[in-house]
Amino acid sequence: MKLVTAIVKPFKLDDIKTALDGVGTHGLTVSETQGYGRQRGHTEVYRGAEYQVDFVPKVRVEVLVEDDDVERVVEAIVTAARTGKIGDGKVWVQTVDTIIRVRTGERGADAL
Amino acid sequence: MNSGDTAWVLASAALVLFMTPGLAFFYGGMVRAKNVLGMLMQNFFCMGIISVLWMLVVFSLAFGDDHGGLIGGFDFAGLSGLTHAGASLPGYTGALALTVPPIAFVAYQMMFAVITPALITGATADRLRFVGFAVFAGLWAVVVYAPVAHWVFSPNGWLAQRGALDFAGGTVVHINAGVAALAVVLVVGRRRGWPADAMPPHSLPLTLLGAGILWFGWFGFNAGSALGANALAAQALINTHLAAAAAMLGWLVVERLKDHRATTLGAASGAVAGLVAITPCAGFVNAAAAVVIGLLAGAVCFLAISLKYRFGYDDALDVIGVHLVGGIAGSLLVGIFATRSVNANGADGLLAGGGLHLLGEQALAVAVTMVFSFTVSLALAKVVDMTIGLRVTPDEEVEGLDTTQHAEAAYNLRELGSMGRIG
C-alpha cells in the first residue's frame, strides 16, 4: 500500500476531489498548510510599509491506495492540479506498512 | 425653537455617536488579531466614560458661563438648568441664536467629546493598559478637551472671539487628538519590535467597514454643525462627501506612483484624511474648494505617514499622519477658501478677497491648540503612567491585549479547542 501526498494550490482542491472520485478512491484527508518552493512568497504593502511574505497558502491532500492504483491516482491528481504556472506544487508517494480501520479492526487493503 | 432644525440635530447626534464604533472597526482591522478587542474596547469605552463625564462637568466647562474666554463655569454641571423651557446657552445670541433646545445641543456636542479621545488610541495601539487608558481618557476630556472646545466652539471662547473659524472640529477634535496622540506615544514608547518586525493589519475588511461607517457618520459631524436643517447643512454635507471622495483619489494616485499599487487600506485612509481636512471648512467653502481640499489632504496625508519612520516615533495607525496633519491642512485651508457667500457668519479667506487676516487667525488657533494640547497631554500621560501605569508589561504585550486586559479572544475559530469551563 502507498500514501500519496500532494501539496497543491488551494483553488484546485475541488478539481482534485472530482478526479479522485473518477479513479475510484474511497477517501482522502485534506489540510491547510503553507510553505514555499521555487515560487517563493510575495510582497504586501500596508500604508507604504512593505512586507515579504515567505510562505504561500497551500492544501495538502493525502490518499491511501493499493499498489496497483498508485499510477492512476497520481496521474489524476497531477492532471487536475496543473495550471502550468509556477507554484503548482508537488506530489510524492511513500510505502505504508499497514493500515487499520478503527471501527472494525480490519487491516491492510481491507481497511481502505 | 424650530422642529425641523431640532430633528436634524438629534439625528446628527446619533450619526456622530455611530462614528465611534466605526472608528473602532477602522482601527481594529489594522491591528494584529491578538489586540483587536483591546482596540475596540478603548474606543467603545469612551462612549461610556466620556458621556457620563460630559453630563457631570465637561459640557459645563466647555459651554457654560464664560471666564475670560478661557473656560466655562460649573453652572451647567449635572446639566442643571438646561431642561426647562426658555433655557439658553451663553454666547448663542443674535445671528448665532440656537433654534434647537439647549439639551439637543448638549447631546449633539457630547458625541464629539466621545470620539475625540478615542481618536488617540490608534497611535498607541497594541500597548496601552486598559485601566491606565480609562483614567487618561476621562481626565483628558476634562483638562484638554473642555478648554479647547470652549476657546473655539463656544462663541465666548477667546479664539472664536478673535475670528478663528472651525466649523466642526479641525482644531478641537482632530488637531487636539492628533497632537495628544504624539504626546502619549512619546510617553509610552514604541511597540516591541517596531519598526523591524512585521505588524500587518489582521482584517482590512473590518477597516473598510469602519471607514464606511465613519464616512456615513461624518454627515452628522459636519452637516449637523450647521445646527439647523437648512442650506448651510446641505452645503456642508456635499462638501464633506466631495472632500472624502477627492481625498481617496489623491491618496491612491500618490500611493500608486510611489508603491506601485492602489490599496484598499489606501482608499479607506484617503477618504478619512479628506473627511478630517474638510471638517473645519465644511460650512465655509464651496463645492469646488471641497474637492481641492480633499485632493490636497489625500496626497499630503499619504506623504505624512512616512514621517514616523524618519523621526522614529511609533504612531501605530497614523493618527498623527492623518488627523494631526489633515487637521492642520484643513484648518489653514479655511484661511484660503472660506467665503461669506457660503456662510454669512463666516469670513472671507484669501481667495475671496479677505486678505491674509483669516489665515493668520487660523494659524494662531492651530499653533495654540497644538502647544496647549501637547503640553497638557504629555504631563497627564506622564502622571498616569507613573501612578497607575499606562503601558502593559512586555509579557502582556507579546501575549496581546485581548487576553491580558479583557480575558477574551476575538476569534475562537477552532472547534477542536482545549477550552474547558472552570467557573
Side-chain angles (χ1 to χ4, degrees):
Chain A
M1 289 152 296
K2 304 288 187 190
L3 169 65
V4 180
T5 304
I7 307 286
V8 297
K9 288 184 169 169
F11 79 97
K12 281 294 188 181
L13 182 58
D14 272 349
D15 294 344
I16 292 167
K17 191 166 150 289
T18 307
L20 287 173
D21 286 345
V23 296
T25 58
H26 300 296
L28 77 168
T29 304
V30 172
S31 44
E32 292 179 35
T33 187
Q34 51 182 352
Y36 67 82
R38 292 189 189 177
Q39 180 190 9
R40 303 300 301 195
H42 62 274
T43 56
E44 295 179 10
V45 190
Y46 300 101
R47 283 187 175 167
E50 199 166 355
Y51 298 108
Q52 172 70 33
V53 180
D54 291 327
F55 299 131
V56 183
K58 294 285 170 187
V59 164
R60 183 207 328 255
V61 181
E62 290 165 306
V63 197
L64 289 162
V65 297
E66 289 193 64
D67 292 1
D68 293 348
D69 294 333
V70 166
E71 276 313 313
R72 281 189 295 133
V73 166
V74 167
E75 192 55 36
I77 293 175
V78 169
T79 306
R82 181 177 293 148
T83 67
K85 297 200 188 88
I86 199 162
D88 273 354
K90 296 266 190 297
V91 179
W92 59 86
V93 181
Q94 293 159 286
T95 301
V96 173
D97 288 342
T98 190
I99 300 169
I100 301 132
R101 188 190 307 282
V102 172
R103 174 168 55 85
T104 60
E106 291 165 285
R107 290 185 170 243
D110 291 341
L112 284 175
Chain B
M1 293 304 117
N2 178 301
S3 61
D5 292 348
T6 305
W8 172 234
V9 170
L10 292 175
S12 291
L15 284 167
V16 179
L17 172 77
F18 196 38
M19 290 171 71
T20 297
L23 182 73
F25 283 113
F26 180 65
Y27 285 164
M30 278 190 265
V31 299
R32 289 163 290 171
K34 63 181 178 181
N35 295 319
V36 59
L37 291 178
M39 175 54 74
L40 296 181
M41 183 64 163
Q42 285 171 18
N43 287 267
F44 210 73
F45 180 75
C46 286
M47 291 158 55
I49 181 86
I50 307 298
S51 301
V52 172
L53 289 170
W54 182 258
M55 176 270 181
L56 289 175
V57 66
V58 180
F59 174 77
S60 191
L61 290 174
F63 292 99
D65 266 341
D66 177 64
H67 294 275
L70 296 175
I71 192 76
F74 289 100
D75 40 313
F76 294 139
L79 304 188
S80 62
L82 284 170
T83 43
H84 65 82
S88 65
L89 297 177
Y92 287 89
T93 53
L96 296 175
L98 290 177
T99 56
V100 304
I103 207 75
F105 180 78
V106 170
Y108 177 63
Q109 281 292 333
M110 178 192 294
M111 307 316 173
F112 286 64
V114 165
I115 197 171
T116 306
L119 290 168
I120 298 171
T121 63
T124 53
D126 302 356
R127 56 205 193 277
L128 286 193
R129 216 175 146 234
F130 177 66
V131 176
F133 168 75
V135 171
F136 174 84
L139 291 174
W140 191 87
V142 177
V143 299
V144 180
Y145 186 83
V148 177
H150 186 76
W151 302 346
V152 179
F153 277 168
S154 167
N156 290 326
W158 73 278
L159 289 170
Q161 287 281 329
R162 287 186 58 99
L165 297 180
D166 186 354
F167 195 69
T171 49
V172 178
V173 175
H174 296 289
I175 292 175
N176 200 3
V179 82
L182 179 60
V184 184
V185 159
L186 294 180
V187 170
V188 298
R190 304 170 174 189
R191 287 168 293 175
R192 290 178 63 81
W194 187 87
D197 293 357
M199 299 176 182
H202 91 283
S203 175
L204 288 179
L206 282 189
T207 295
L208 265 78
L209 175 67
I213 294 173
L214 281 171
W215 193 329
F216 173 78
W218 226 294
F219 293 133
F221 204 86
N222 288 359
S225 288
L227 296 176
N230 50 37
L232 182 61
Q235 183 71 51
L237 188 146
I238 198 164
N239 286 349
T240 300
H241 185 69
L242 288 172
M248 183 199 291
L249 304 184
W251 183 297
L252 290 178
V253 165
V254 182
E255 183 179 50
R256 183 76 169 71
L257 290 173
K258 185 161 169 285
D259 294 336
H260 313 298
R261 286 285 194 287
T263 66
T264 58
L265 180 56
S269 308
V272 171
L275 291 164
V276 169
I278 198 66
T279 293
C281 313
F284 300 119
V285 303
N286 59 35
V291 171
V292 175
I293 290 164
L295 282 170
L296 285 173
V300 167
C301 289
F302 174 78
L303 297 173
I305 60 171
S306 63
L307 293 174
K308 63 181 179 182
Y309 298 110
R310 184 169 309 169
F311 294 105
Y313 60 89
D314 183 11
D315 174 14
L317 310 183
D318 301 307
V319 177
I320 295 150
V322 174
H323 293 274
L324 178 58
V325 173
I328 293 171
S331 296
L332 294 179
L333 288 169
V334 170
I336 309 286
F337 291 109
T339 168
R340 287 172 55 85
S341 66
V342 167
N343 186 343
N345 290 329
D348 284 329
L350 189 61
L351 295 182
L356 289 169
H357 176 75
L358 180 59
L359 187 58
E361 291 303 326
Q362 295 302 109
L364 177 72
V366 167
V368 165
T369 305
M370 285 179 69
V371 170
F372 174 80
S373 177
F374 181 81
T375 310
V376 181
S377 301
L378 190 76
L380 181 60
K382 267 277 179 213
V383 168
V384 173
D385 192 41
M386 288 189 304
T387 51
I388 297 165
L390 202 46
R391 182 166 183 152
V392 293
T393 66
D395 284 359
E396 290 171 329
E397 189 174 341
V398 170
E399 189 179 328
L401 299 182
D402 297 5
T403 54
T404 63
Q405 304 302 298
H406 307 296
E408 293 169 301
Y411 307 105
N412 290 308
L413 298 175
R414 304 206 182 275
E415 302 219 8
L416 259 184
S418 55
M419 208 176 200
R421 183 161 174 178
I422 56 172

